């Protein structure tokens, strides 16, 4: 099977979770590129290629926390899925919330998956690796390089 690296945008403000996610990606055999922004406004600027992100690569996958400063993950998800240029990018909600209302809202806003972050270090690494493996080896994604 021909496996190509993918570009992943992690939208996360918790530095510990960023480090854990990077570590999980580093442990995988496929060298996917992980880009990180720390709030919802940065996420939209990145996705739209605005400001400091003019040269940003369109991600093949977005890992999105719900609890973000300046603009919530739900608001980012709504903007992404309402935008005809961005809506085809798969969005996985990766958050600490297990609230039914957050799960329902995320799927109503067309999240592709909702994953609760495990508290345990080893489980967190395993979950991120499974998400990464799924989108690299199982799911067929559009070819990279689409204009943003």
């Amino acid at each position: 099977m021909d496996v190509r690296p993918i570009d992943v945008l992690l939208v996360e403000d918790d530095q510990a979770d960023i480090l854990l996610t990077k570590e999980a990606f580093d442990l995988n055999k496929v060298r996917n590129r992980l880009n990180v922004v720390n709030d919802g406004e940065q996420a939209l600027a990145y996705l739209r290629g605005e400001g400091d992100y003019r040269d940003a690569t369109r991600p093949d996958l977005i890992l999105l926390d719900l609890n973000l400063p300046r603009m919530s993950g739900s608001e980012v998800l709504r903007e992404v899925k309402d935008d005809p240029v961005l809506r085809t990018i798969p969005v996985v909600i990766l958050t600490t919330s297990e609230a039914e209302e957050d799960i329902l809202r995320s799927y109503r806003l067309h999240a592709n998956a909702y994953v609760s972050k495990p508290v345990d270090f080893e489980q967190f690494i395993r979950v991120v690796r499974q998400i990464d493996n799924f989108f690299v080896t199982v799911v067929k994604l559009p070819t990279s390089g689409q204009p943003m």
Side-chain angles (χ1 to χ4, degrees):
M1 172 187 291
D2 184 30
V3 177
R4 69 173 176 87
I6 64 171
D7 286 292
V8 178
L9 177 62
L10 174 63
V11 186
E12 174 63 67
D13 64 319
D14 184 297
Q15 293 304 310
D17 287 349
I18 292 169
L19 288 173
L20 285 175
T21 304
K22 285 181 177 181
E23 186 169 327
F25 270 68
D26 288 345
L27 293 172
N28 270 348
K29 294 177 184 80
V30 177
R31 294 292 171 213
N32 296 324
R33 293 169 294 276
L34 182 66
N35 298 292
V36 180
V37 295
N38 301 117
D39 66 49
E41 289 180 5
Q42 287 178 356
L44 290 177
Y46 183 100
L47 292 165
R48 293 175 177 152
E50 298 171 348
D52 293 340
Y53 304 106
R54 275 186 302 280
D55 298 323
T57 304
R58 177 189 172 95
D60 299 297
L61 173 65
I62 300 169
L63 300 179
L64 179 63
D65 187 17
L66 290 181
N67 306 309
L68 297 169
R70 298 173 61 192
M71 176 183 260
S72 75
S74 293
E75 291 171 301
V76 172
L77 179 59
R78 175 179 283 115
E79 292 281 330
V80 168
K81 294 304 180 177
D82 282 347
D83 186 320
V85 173
L86 301 175
R87 74 172 50 127
T88 58
I89 302 171
V91 178
V92 174
I93 303 300
L94 184 60
T95 190
T96 54
S97 174
E98 294 184 15
E100 186 68 20
E101 65 190 59
D102 287 338
I103 297 168
L104 284 171
R105 182 183 321 108
S106 295
Y107 282 118
R108 285 184 181 132
L109 293 172
H110 306 290
N112 296 85
Y114 189 102
V115 179
S116 293
K117 293 178 192 172
V119 179
D120 174 75
F121 170 80
E122 291 298 323
Q123 277 191 294
F124 185 91
I125 296 287
R126 194 172 312 118
V127 164
V128 171
R129 288 181 70 190
Q130 287 174 340
I131 292 168
D132 187 37
N133 285 331
F134 180 72
F135 280 94
V136 170
T137 60
V138 178
V139 172
K140 184 74 174 159
L141 295 171
T143 305
S144 279
Q146 294 182 18
M148 295 220 287

